[in-house]
Amino acid sequence: MDRQTSDVELMKERFVKLLLGEDMSGGGKGVSSALALSNAITNLAASVFGEQRKLEPMSEDRKAKWKKEIDLLLSVTDYIVEFVPSQQKGKDGTNMEIMVTQQRKDLLMNIPALRKLDAMLINGRSSLGESIYKSITVEFFDPEDFLSNMDMSTEHKVLDLKNRIEASL
């Protein structure tokens, strides 16, 4: 029970820190919530992936840490909102303009991409595909041989290969 309690307290502390823009005093001297979130994700990635020396499957404890932390960080995005005008119909049938909250547009666009990136980062093999993964994880990697065996007949195929390799890193 103590571990569960400490996890909840840690989650509350991080949630508050992100929403206050890293300014725990509440004095308004912090950064924007989005920047605080970006910094937290960058720091998490550095701590989880910083020790990876080569392309290999992540250990289960590392995967669990990443998944737990990224889920916590992304849950905060539901509360980074902006006011937008909306219409509401009154009881008497009149329309009135009200302000409602919605998730910020930059987050609405970027969070799905971040979730996709998250899925790719958990296991580089999945983003590369089995054949490319085996080609680059051999003991003696020959880049010329690798490139000669890749289908680079179109610009799209070259770009796809580049994106797969970048995603796996």
Side-chain angles (χ1 to χ4, degrees):
M1 190 66 166
D2 280 339
R3 176 154 171 79
Q4 191 176 23
T5 303
S6 67
D7 283 350
V8 170
E9 290 303 315
L10 181 63
M11 183 179 74
K12 285 180 185 177
E13 181 182 324
R14 287 188 180 161
F15 197 75
V16 167
K17 186 176 180 183
L18 289 170
L19 291 177
L20 291 175
E22 300 174 348
D23 176 19
M24 296 303 284
S25 70
K29 294 185 170 108
V31 298
S32 72
S33 296
L35 181 57
L37 179 63
S38 176
N39 291 341
I41 291 172
T42 300
N43 292 338
L44 173 63
S47 72
V48 172
F49 299 110
E51 297 173 11
Q52 293 284 110
R53 297 289 179 236
K54 63 180 183 174
L55 186 61
E56 61 188 3
M58 290 175 64
S59 64
E60 289 304 315
D61 61 324
R62 215 174 249 196
K63 275 186 199 178
K65 177 183 178 184
W66 171 261
K67 199 73 184 135
K68 178 183 171 186
E69 296 286 328
I70 200 70
D71 286 345
L72 168 70
L73 293 173
L74 293 180
S75 71
V76 173
T77 62
D78 294 335
Y79 300 96
I80 301 176
V81 296
E82 63 187 354
F83 283 109
V84 294
S86 181
Q87 295 289 320
Q88 181 176 1
K89 196 169 234 164
K91 290 181 182 178
D92 62 356
T94 59
N95 283 333
M96 51 184 149
E97 188 172 282
I98 61 168
M99 299 299 281
V100 296
T101 60
Q102 77 174 21
Q103 191 175 32
R104 283 187 12 198
K105 287 181 182 26
D106 58 337
L107 294 175
L108 283 172
M109 291 186 306
N110 292 319
I111 295 301
L114 184 57
R115 290 192 191 279
K116 183 177 180 180
L117 179 61
D118 169 43
M120 287 191 280
L121 286 174
I122 290 299
N123 188 339
R125 182 179 283 184
S126 65
S127 61
L128 285 173
E130 194 65 31
S131 64
I132 296 174
Y133 179 82
K134 285 182 178 178
S135 296
I136 64 174
T137 56
V138 294
E139 189 171 342
F140 299 105
F141 175 68
D142 180 2
E144 290 177 7
D145 184 48
F146 171 74
L147 291 173
S148 69
N149 289 318
M150 293 294 106
D151 180 7
M152 296 191 292
S153 57
T154 66
E155 185 178 334
H156 176 73
K157 289 181 179 181
V158 171
L159 186 60
D160 181 56
L161 177 62
K162 174 191 154 294
N163 289 340
R164 286 173 168 228
I165 292 171
E166 284 179 350
S168 71
L169 296 176

